Amino acid sequence: MINMDEKNAYKTFRIASIRPDNYRVKTFTLDGALEAKPGQFCMVWIPRLNEKPFSIMNADPLTFNIAAVGEFSNKLHELAVGDKITLRGPYGNGFALTGKEKKVLLVGGGYGVAPLYFFAKKCLAQKIEPVMVIGARNEQDVLLEKDFTEEGVRVVVTTDDGSKGIKGFATVAAQAELDAGGVDAVFACGPEKMMAALARLCKDKNIPCQVSLERYMGCGMGICGKCVCGGQRVCADGPIFPGEEALKENDFGQKSRDASGATKTL
Amino acid sequence: MADLTTKIASLTLRNPTILASGITGVSCDSLKRTSEGGAGAVTSKSVTMEARKGHNNPIMVAFEGGFLNAVGYSNPGIDHALQEFSAYDGEAPFIFSIVAKDAEEFGEIARKADSLQACAAIEIVLSCPHTPGYGTMAGQGTPQATQDITRAVRQQTKKPLSVKLSPSIQALGDIAKAAESAGANAINMGNTAGPGMVIDIERGQPVLAFKVGGISGPALKPLAVRCVYDVFESVKIPVIGTGGISNGKDALEMMMAGATAVGVGTAVHYRGPQALGEIAREIDAWLDAHGHASPGEIIGIAHENEPRK
Ligand SMILES: Cc1cc2nc3c(=O)[nH]c(=O)nc-3n(C[C@H](O)[C@H](O)[C@H](O)COP(=O)(O)OP(=O)(O)OC[C@H]3O[C@@H](n4cnc5c(N)ncnc54)[C@H](O)[C@@H]3O)c2cc1C
Ligand SMILES: Cc1cc2nc3c(=O)[nH]c(=O)nc-3n(C[C@H](O)[C@H](O)[C@H](O)COP(=O)(O)O)c2cc1C
């Protein structure tokens, strides 16, 4: 019997529960598990429609946090408990720990908090203290705050309009946490401009940092090239990159590509 | 150390490995990275006149022997591509892959591709099995169409010209001869095979959004080797053997069938962008161990007659 790489095989689950998180985000918990690392993602397939990448929020049971932003994600939001979800993965490299960290700072924006939630639980299991900065436009967009606090993670919230927590960008809160000292590494997933600013900040302060990039994905298997950021294949070489590596790519924080491969300004 | 220097018309490669079209070749930087990884040459994703979004996902699906893909020629269009690749300065020569709907449009896009200074050679693809309006789906896989298109492109460029054929066509010899007589400098043999289909049994649906796709990877190799063997007997111009090459031994097999150089695609999934440099080193090690000074000593030796020099 010849076996293909298990991650490339399609796996069908059923939806065990659906939790609405806000006006456009739902958490989908499936009826099975996947062996995966925080920061990895799956390609979720809806037959006869499309296939799109989503970060793993929890591996056991497999959980996704999905924002309805267009045709595909809206279709996912129409699914009900008991419906099938078919996907392949996990793909990508995941966030990496050296084993020496005692305290880490996690910075997330939008659904970028989902993989950081998975990662925070891994940190806790390894007796590393995670501090979570959640950045959002306004109070309604703050995601998973309760999930983090229930795990015992200290959460700092920032909103652009000041409707909740500190008024301002997540980077402001992150800077304050770094200035307070004791942070051994920074992990970020969110808007790329925020992550670029954070990567520069960490570089100046000589603190290791990892950022999770998002690009239009085609094959998810490192072949088609649609997701490249400069010379890096985000699906296969990433999506997590050391901040210093990301800063070397001209595209980082600047340019993305659409389905045709044409560049567009971030 | 064997001398791996490979010549295809006026093109000189440091080794016989060529990044196949459509494999990460969307950005200038990723081609540079493949060059830095040791590739002999790199090929762009195939480019059309206008931007194309391509087929919806899934555009690629794995099976036990390799992959099926139906990307549908997504690309930003020739004008954007000219801009993208203008900064290419990798050591591996840059091959511009172009496709068009008919001979006239092929001529037009070839003229544009030729204007790019970084463009060391042009490849025209007449063999895509999964894009309506192009390749075999547009009847470009016949001797007559091959001749007309090759001639139209030849009139627009003096740069080395390769014509990429389909392994799923029977009249291969005639098609290769048609390309040669119309001025091609090399035959790339070849594209993906099929098309084939993969159905997910839990959902009872074809996985690819386009339902069918071209077969690449290990399962393609014996077919590609046979096609290269046949084409080698039909034409005098060099053959680039593409299909299922994952390591040095695969490449050597292809060269014994008659390939002067080898195209490498799906192996980038298994081994990353440095795959080509590694394959070149594996070819080198084998040639050394077997007392060969250069690949020229083994190219075409599978044929009954004396290998061509
Ligand atoms: C590694 C990775 C992890 C992600 N994790 C999550 C997550 O945990 N939760 C979540 O809600 N979203 C996540 N996304 C984004 C998600 O893939 C898009 O929101 C989704 O594809 C939108 O599809 P649509 O048809 O609903 O919207 P569309 O109207 O098609 O597009 C809306 C936005 O999604 C982007 N997009 C569309 N297709 C793709 C594609 N094939 N690949 C990447 N981006 C695309 C578009 O560029 C656009 O910005 C992730 C993306 C990546 C690359
Ligand atoms: C995802 C993908 C996209 C491809 N796109 C193109 C393309 O745009 N133009 C082309 O001539 N061939 C294209 N091909 C075919 C490859 O260049 C190559 O001929 C084929 O994959 C066989 O080689 P392999 O087995 O080493 O992959 C593509 C192949 C794959 C897998």
Side-chain angles (χ1 to χ4, degrees):
Chain A
M1 162 100 181
I2 312 167
N3 284 315
M4 63 184 204
D5 197 335
E6 181 53 30
K7 66 178 184 289
N8 294 335
Y10 281 89
K11 296 161 269 280
T12 294
F13 298 87
R14 284 188 188 271
I15 298 172
S17 66
I18 300 173
R19 182 188 76 184
D21 289 322
N22 70 13
Y23 63 101
R24 65 164 196 177
V25 179
K26 288 181 182 175
T27 297
F28 293 80
T29 305
L30 310 188
D31 67 348
L34 196 65
E35 208 174 294
K37 289 182 281 192
Q40 289 189 305
F41 66 96
C42 289
M43 295 296 288
V44 177
W45 174 48
I46 300 180
R48 280 186 274 182
L49 183 66
N50 217 318
E51 183 183 55
K52 305 268 175 175
F54 293 94
S55 298
I56 297 167
M57 178 178 154
N58 220 347
D60 186 8
L62 189 54
T63 308
F64 297 96
N65 184 247
I66 291 172
V69 296
E71 187 186 25
F72 188 86
S73 45
N74 276 311
K75 202 82 193 168
L76 283 176
H77 272 232
E78 284 170 18
L79 297 178
V81 170
D83 284 348
K84 287 177 181 173
I85 288 220
T86 304
L87 51 84
R88 60 189 169 97
Y91 290 113
N93 51 1
F95 293 109
L97 289 164
T98 61
K100 296 206 183 80
E101 298 89 347
K102 290 199 175 64
K103 179 177 171 184
V104 295
L105 183 66
L106 317 183
V107 185
Y111 49 75
V113 301
L116 292 171
Y117 170 73
F118 186 14
F119 185 58
K121 292 211 296 188
K122 177 174 173 171
C123 291
L124 290 168
Q126 298 191 8
K127 306 268 183 289
I128 300 165
E129 181 198 346
V131 175
M132 179 71 203
V133 174
I134 300 178
R137 269 176 309 201
N138 57 48
E139 182 175 14
Q140 278 193 311
D141 284 316
V142 177
L143 286 171
L144 308 188
E145 182 185 5
K146 200 153 159 271
D147 298 80
F148 281 99
T149 50
E150 276 173 9
E151 297 291 335
V153 178
R154 178 163 68 87
V155 176
V156 180
V157 171
T158 70
T159 50
D160 298 354
D161 66 356
S163 52
K164 187 178 171 109
I166 302 166
K167 182 173 185 323
F169 292 138
T171 38
V172 176
Q175 171 136 29
E177 291 295 326
L178 294 180
D179 288 343
V183 173
D184 298 312
V186 176
F187 301 85
C189 186
E192 202 159 304
K193 289 224 181 281
M194 177 276 278
M195 293 196 294
L198 195 61
R200 280 189 288 269
L201 184 66
C202 289
K203 196 177 167 200
D204 290 345
K205 292 186 175 290
N206 222 348
I207 297 171
C209 134
Q210 290 170 30
V211 294
S212 178
L213 301 195
E214 187 178 316
R215 286 291 181 279
Y216 184 93
M217 293 207 173
C219 72
M221 297 185 280
I223 290 271
C224 76
K226 289 186 185 224
C227 69
V228 288
C229 173
Q232 302 291 328
R233 302 166 301 165
V234 170
C235 72
D237 302 318
I240 319 293
F241 295 93
E244 290 195 23
E245 295 294 316
L247 288 171
K248 282 185 207 152
E249 300 296 338
N250 298 327
D251 289 0
F252 179 53
Q254 303 291 331
K255 277 191 300 181
S256 184
R257 283 171 199 273
D258 66 17
S260 79
T263 48
K264 56 177 188 191
T265 307
L266 275 176
Chain B
M1 279 253 294
D3 178 8
L4 296 187
T5 310
T6 300
K7 289 201 136 256
I8 299 171
S10 60
L11 212 58
T12 305
L13 320 185
R14 60 187 154 176
N15 69 56
T17 64
I18 302 177
L19 179 73
S21 177
I23 311 301
T24 72
V26 173
S27 77
C28 186
D29 288 341
S30 60
L31 290 180
K32 276 196 215 173
R33 182 173 172 210
T34 309
S35 174
E36 282 157 19
V42 295
T43 314
S44 75
K45 168 76 188 162
S46 296
V47 173
T48 52
M49 285 299 276
E50 307 294 336
R52 286 176 56 89
K53 193 175 145 288
H55 299 314
N56 270 352
N57 280 350
I59 54 169
M60 198 163 170
V61 58
F63 71 103
E64 291 75 2
F67 294 87
L68 257 61
N69 91 80
V71 175
Y73 281 144
S74 57
N75 79 92
I78 183 72
D79 291 335
H80 188 288
L82 287 169
Q83 232 176 325
E84 176 76 40
F85 299 121
S86 62
Y88 182 78
D89 59 359
E91 195 180 327
F94 170 77
I95 303 171
F96 213 150
S97 173
I98 52 171
V99 292
K101 293 203 154 73
D102 52 34
E104 190 188 336
E105 196 183 70
F106 257 111
E108 224 175 303
I109 195 168
R111 187 172 49 77
K112 289 194 175 224
D114 180 78
S115 73
L116 182 73
Q117 209 180 346
C119 167
I122 291 178
E123 178 158 279
I124 57 175
V125 188
L126 310 181
S127 44
C128 181
H130 53 69
T131 308
Y134 296 88
T136 51
M137 288 192 79
Q140 293 175 354
T142 65
Q144 188 61 51
T146 302
Q147 189 167 9
D148 294 346
I149 292 169
T150 308
R151 187 172 294 144
V153 171
R154 182 77 289 172
Q155 281 165 4
Q156 301 296 335
T157 180
K158 295 193 167 58
K159 293 182 177 176
L161 172 62
S162 150
V163 180
K164 190 169 180 184
L165 306 183
S166 164
S168 297
I169 282 175
Q170 296 306 316
L172 258 184
D174 292 343
I175 294 173
K177 279 187 188 131
E180 182 178 46
S181 71
N185 304 105
I187 301 291
N188 185 339
M189 188 70 251
N191 214 312
T192 52
M197 182 182 280
V198 169
I199 293 169
D200 181 80
I201 59 169
E202 296 304 324
R203 305 304 295 262
Q205 291 291 319
V207 174
L208 292 173
F210 192 61
K211 300 190 178 69
V212 301
I215 300 166
S216 73
L220 178 58
K221 193 182 68 169
L223 179 59
V225 168
R226 192 273 295 160
C227 290
V228 166
Y229 187 95
D230 285 353
V231 169
F232 182 77
E233 303 228 320
S234 312
V235 296
K236 298 204 165 48
I237 51 176
V239 184
I240 300 163
T242 309
I245 294 177
S246 305
N247 56 47
K249 286 182 179 168
D250 295 337
L252 287 154
E253 183 181 353
M254 200 64 106
M255 294 168 98
M256 290 181 183
T260 298
V262 295
V264 176
T266 302
V268 171
H269 166 75
Y270 303 112
R271 305 180 66 173
Q274 66 288 349
L276 286 86
E278 289 172 10
I279 291 172
R281 283 191 287 281
E282 290 158 13
I283 295 172
D284 186 27
W286 190 92
L287 290 173
D288 266 357
H290 292 73
H292 293 294
S294 75
E297 295 179 11
I298 58 120
I299 292 169
I301 60 166
H303 294 259
E304 280 172 38
N305 303 324
E306 278 292 291
R308 199 153 14 97
K309 280 283 163 267

